Amino acid sequence: MRALRRFTVRAQLPEQLAALGELVLNLRWSWHPETLDLFESVDPELWRACKGDPVRLLGEVDHDRLVALSTDRKFLRRLSDAADDLQEYLTTDRWYQKQAIGDAPRAIAYFSPEFGITEVLPQYSGGLGILAGDHLKTASDLGVPIVGVGLLYRAGYFVQSLSRDGWQQERYPGIDPHGLPLTQLTDADGAPVKVAVGLPEGRTLHAQIWKAQVGRVPLLLLDSDVEDNQSSERSVTDRLYGGGTDHRLLQEMLLGIGGVRALRAYAAVTGNPAPEVYHTNEGHAGFLGLERIRELTETGLSFDEALEAARAGTLFTTHTPVPAGIDRFPKDLVARHFGGDNSWPGVPVERVLELGDEPDPNVFNMAHMGLRLAQRSNGVSGLHGIVSREMFAALWPGFDHSEVPIGSVTNGVHAPTWVSRSIVELADRQTGPGLLSGDAGFAQFDRVPEEAIWATRRELREQLVAEIRRRVRASWLQRGAAPGELDWVESIFDPDVLTIGFARRVPSYKRLTLMLRDSERLKRLLLHADRPVQMVIAGKAHPADDGGKLLVQQIVQFADNPAVRHRIVFLPDYDIGMARFLYAGCDVWLNNPLRPLEACGTSGMKAALNGCLNLSIRDGWWDEMFDGQNGWAIPTADGVEDPDRRDDIESAALYDLLENTVTAHFYDRAQPSAHPPRWTAMVRHTLSTLGPQVLATRMVREYVERYYVPAGASARRATEDDLAGARDLAAWKQRVRAAWPGVRVLNVDSAGLGDTPQVGQSLVVRATVDLGGLDLADVDVIASYGRVDETDRILTAATLSLSEVGEGEGGHGHRFEGTIPLGRTGPFGYTVRVLPRHPLTASSAELGLVTNP
């Protein structure tokens, strides 16, 4: 019979081992090898059985073993050292505290629907969550005062397995929060702290708050499975990305609205400062802006004033390169949840709906709301920034795509989490300790002998082969095979064969099956007599995506063929634990998305940090970081409209690279036991030059310097003096929008050039502008200039603010003037435009207003 409820009973630790419990509850152990070694020494066999879960370890370890450890002086010394090291890590000033930044925010809230910290805390599904986890870990390492906010899903994301015919199957094992490295947020009396979100028809959604401590960073997770709720509300946080449209809306309301309320409760309980900056990781948490507006209207601000105060400190990061990837809800559903008896005083439902407007009048667009509620926004790679500016350009009509105020910060990865111990130990032996302690660590790999790199890479490949055999056996047993049928598993894969990895989510644009486009050619690659290839593949399709499941099945059925199954495998249930083996053990990391639909794609970064070479379409991060020596770029057929023909062209390019270049480099050696010089030179170059670029320390520092500090300064200017800045900005925007139809460029002319303009001359540009009743301080009259193409479009425009020099002829308008240098030859052009200007805006395009001649 099945239990009605499940819970975990934790061990009562002897007093001498109390610090062990403290170490378990701080997730720093997930990237701290010494603490992991300490946990393993409690009971090595049980540690392996618990799959590296220290909470489970302490729940199952024999009491007599704990008693013995409590008198083991060697263990107690190690425990004391680990506890002291953690305390020093938590209290010592780090990079952020050492910066001379006067406006540095005291607290930053980071909202995300998923967080991939460790496989022990299964609250992630893919790259978005792994990125969020790496962001928190790196913020902790740098001392950035972030507070994470998410949801606690009682079934997490699904566990993937395969049927006998290779069809993906999903299982949702229940999660007991008491069996996870979490603590419940309680008040001074020890009662659980809860938040509530109003729903239509007088219903209320309640949630309790769990805290995961990620090094120095607290992560607050809201859980609706509480007795205060009706059964329908209890299930709101049941599954990550589960349920229908109504269910997803409730999840996102709880994340955004409930998340802000959880932050307020956390500050009240702990005395920690309230966040000054709010970072929304994708549109799922967009409703946090509405909650902050509601709070501000209760202080007497109008909706527009509250909007400006909230926007000033908000950053929105989009991860979506296609409109289909954006959360969109029926507008009447959103109206029902924010109108009628559930409306908020000061927050009219029609204003809420305006924030999510898009061309379809029946749809509420969460990304559009996120952009409208944030004064700053960014994509997650250079190319993705370009794609995002094009995708959202309609929100800033009249501006060129390049002028849309969406920047970019290329993602990075948390090296202590993803770099294998073998690579760290190699660096320690050859260059001294410090690979993971600073930016210069990976650059030192240019001094490591290629023979040593090759030996370590071979060791990692051997470890991967053993893990593949273990996982393939387990998968086939789960699929219904008898143990006696599986003798062949012990001979699959070879630690001396070129190993290619491909592991990621399985939406169609990532093209999991592009490698099968010419299956006979792939077989020849796998079975080549002198230069064979072996491939390990993993990935989950969304439970509702039958198309993605079909792609998984096609790969599995190809890999099941006895002729090739020793050279290609599909490993089910891709997670953080599996990923570490793949990133470390593979020689080549394959990525072949449909360009430019990969926002960033950080798996290749993690592989690169272990000396794995990338073989990828130039999309996402690889588009900007490929240098010709750190891997290979698969040529793309951009512009080919027929998707089948494009797949044919790009798969043929992939096969050509593998057959003629990649395998040739790997197997080009003087003798079988020697290292291949061209290959190891590329590996060393990758580690020493690409390594520093892909670190999350670089990413988080960019966020601090380019977004968090400016957003914190904007928030303070908007809210100081009883929110005078927000009031002034709202009034100014209202006045400018009303007057803008009357703003006109009456005349533009120039002087200073003869019949033959030459480099070194200067062009004096003059413009007469009718300000439509606005003041001179309200506008910026700008000359944009530069090289032009055959259609007279200015390429990479430079700008110059023109100075007011008097009234226009006959008293009409104002005259403006400026001098443009002619610094290069070739076709040249200029234009003059008028833009709104205010010291509290973050961009001249913020209002979406521009007047052209």
Side-chain angles (χ1 to χ4, degrees), residues 632-659:
W632 297 273
I634 303 169
T636 56
D638 295 347
V640 174
E641 298 293 337
D642 182 355
D644 286 332
R645 182 165 175 261
R646 180 166 182 170
D647 284 356
D648 285 340
I649 294 170
E650 295 183 2
S651 63
L654 168 61
Y655 297 136
D656 287 343
L657 273 171
L658 287 171
E659 290 172 344

Side-chain angles (χ1 to χ4, degrees), residues 42-62:
V42 170
D43 188 328
E45 185 175 343
L46 180 59
W47 176 250
R48 287 189 291 273
C50 292
K51 300 179 180 179
D53 181 346
V55 177
R56 182 178 167 191
L57 173 76
L58 293 188
E60 297 184 15
V61 66
D62 187 81

